[in-house]
Amino acid sequence: RTRSAAAAAGPRASRMLRAVVRVVASLAAARLASELYLRYCCARRRRGSRHRYIVAHRAGAGTAPENTLAAAELAIAEGAQWLQLDVMHTQDRVVVVFHDMPRERNLYKLTGVDKQIADLRFSQLPPLKAEIQPALVGDNARTIRPADFGADGQRICTLEEMLMAVGPQIGCLIEFWGEPSEALVADVARLVRRHGRVSRTAIGNPFSAQTAAFCDKVAPDIRRIYHARELARMFALYWLGAYPFLAHADAGRRLLNCPLITHRWGRMIARAQGRERPGLVARAALAALRAFTFAPQLFRFHADVLGQATFAWILNDPDSWDDGLALGAQGLMTDYVAACGRHLRAAAVESMSDRS
């Protein structure tokens, strides 16, 4: 009986091995076909611009009070072509430009007032504190004094004020960071349409599928950014070799806005844990996540074949800006517009020198 069982196990193991080999070979063939298509065929269908532009994160939070009219004015003067803005509702349903993170679910960080912004009317919103320490990706954050930027640097503004101030030529990526709200999405869409900014605006929340559903429902005419689940599926299908060959029916209504994992993320994690450097598990997870999401050919596919704008965030130092260029992102989202602009110009001159 033992001899017969062993004899039966041999063919089963052989069949399983052949099945595994077939699966691996099929995946390798699909990946190779995908890479060849992306590398050679996409170049013939180039629709995306090779011009690089700067997206001011929170309207340029590294050098001016975040999400204020003063920050937007300075960022545009320094060369930003897009502004990333965060919006919320006040109690009387005024759409204001304000950032809302899990650790910042009230006004305390920026104003010193321990109240929820949704519990106050717009007329009751307090001014910003005398000094603000921005929460940035990087080690070079400096204290910002809103009084140095005039009245527009010391108050929370409405989205309508912001749209009127920046003009139609500046793109706006508007993100919803509070609880998913169909009413907030609808009010933002109404303002975008009223000011004729549909073609220069994108909306969404990078982490909320519910917010994405609201955007698709009440603002189908305005581009939406992919949320985290969509990005995970996108990268998985890309590495499996299937993504370029799928139908992309909604491509014209999307904007690729993807985090770029850099060494700065490790330092942020370490600071949050009260350590000098991140632990082994955190370093391994970041390395795996970077390898999974650093896909220049995928970015080129979205730009050249799908005709989408492609952004990478948040890039606040020369190494990160170089990574963004290597990734092929059209828009580099940064808190430091002027410094990023100088780096891009220097990189362009160096590239031209290498060609000559």
Side-chain angles (χ1 to χ4, degrees):
R1 189 179 302 170
T2 303
R3 208 176 282 129
S4 63
R12 279 201 302 270
S14 179
R15 286 195 298 271
M16 288 181 61
L17 180 60
R18 285 197 297 271
V20 169
V21 169
R22 282 196 294 271
V23 170
V24 172
S26 299
L27 291 175
R31 186 75 188 89
L32 178 61
S34 171
E35 191 67 21
L36 290 173
Y37 174 80
L38 290 170
R39 188 177 296 272
Y40 298 109
C41 296
C42 288
R44 298 181 180 180
R45 301 177 60 184
R46 182 170 296 175
R47 295 167 59 191
S49 171
R50 283 291 179 260
H51 172 66
R52 298 291 187 267
Y53 43 87
I54 300 172
V55 183
H57 178 240
R58 301 192 201 177
T63 52
E66 64 180 56
N67 281 322
T68 61
L69 291 171
E73 181 181 356
L74 179 61
I76 294 169
E78 291 177 339
Q81 291 96 342
W82 277 71
L83 302 177
Q84 183 272 327
L85 307 169
D86 309 287
V87 294
M88 298 179 63
H89 260 154
T90 59
Q91 186 184 60
D92 50 345
R93 201 166 159 169
V94 176
V95 182
V96 295
V97 186
F98 191 83
H99 190 265
D100 182 47
M101 286 286 284
R103 291 181 301 162
E104 305 165 7
R105 287 212 180 274
N106 57 36
L107 289 157
Y108 186 78
K109 181 194 167 197
L110 293 182
T111 69
V113 176
D114 192 11
K115 289 185 178 294
Q116 305 289 333
I117 196 169
D119 294 337
L120 298 176
R121 300 176 66 83
F122 177 70
S123 60
Q124 297 173 318
L125 295 180
L128 303 189
K129 292 192 299 186
E131 293 187 346
I132 295 173
Q133 187 69 29
L136 306 180
V137 178
D139 302 325
N140 45 357
R142 65 177 181 84
T143 300
I144 292 174
R145 295 175 175 81
D148 295 341
F149 299 87
D152 286 341
Q154 300 178 66
R155 67 182 183 91
I156 300 169
C157 71
T158 68
L159 178 62
E160 184 156 31
E161 288 179 300
M162 183 68 76
L163 296 180
M164 292 176 64
V166 303
Q169 74 280 6
I170 300 298
C172 287
L173 170 54
I174 302 172
E175 298 185 3
F176 310 93
W177 279 97
E179 294 298 324
S181 166
E182 182 175 336
L184 178 58
V185 175
D187 286 349
V188 167
R190 200 158 29 245
L191 289 171
V192 169
R193 296 185 191 110
R194 180 189 303 167
H195 291 277
R197 297 191 49 89
V198 170
S199 64
R200 295 288 290 163
T201 300
I203 60 177
N205 180 318
F207 304 104
S208 173
Q210 182 63 68
T211 297
F214 290 148
C215 292
D216 293 342
K217 177 181 177 182
V218 302
D221 54 328
I222 302 174
R223 280 179 294 177
R224 172 175 67 76
I225 60 175
Y226 295 98
H227 60 77
R229 266 188 248 164
E230 290 174 322
L231 288 175
R233 176 179 176 272
M234 178 191 303
F235 283 108
L237 291 171
Y238 165 74
W239 289 111
L240 289 173
Y243 190 72
F245 307 113
L246 300 176
H248 301 278
D250 296 327
R253 302 200 301 268
R254 298 290 180 265
L255 183 148
L256 180 58
N257 180 48
C258 185
L260 177 54
I261 311 300
T262 68
H263 62 282
R264 300 281 182 178
W265 290 56
R267 296 183 186 179
M268 282 196 309
I269 292 174
R271 280 200 300 269
Q273 296 175 339
R275 305 169 64 171
E276 291 187 5
R277 56 181 300 181
L280 180 61
V281 173
R283 292 201 303 273
L286 285 175
L289 189 57
R290 177 180 170 84
F292 182 65
T293 58
F294 196 86
Q297 294 290 3
L298 181 61
F299 270 70
R300 294 190 182 102
F301 174 76
H302 274 262
D304 295 340
V305 177
L306 302 184
Q308 293 179 358
T310 58
F311 294 173
W313 54 272
I314 303 168
L315 317 179
N316 281 343
D317 62 87
D319 289 342
S320 299
W321 297 326
D322 286 337
D323 279 349
L325 293 174
L327 182 62
Q330 295 170 330
L332 305 187
M333 190 181 297
T334 182
D335 294 295
Y336 298 100
V337 174
C340 182
R342 288 192 296 270
H343 188 84
L344 291 182
R345 289 190 292 272
V349 170
E350 183 178 349
S351 176
M352 290 177 63
S353 299
D354 291 343
R355 289 175 192 165
S356 60

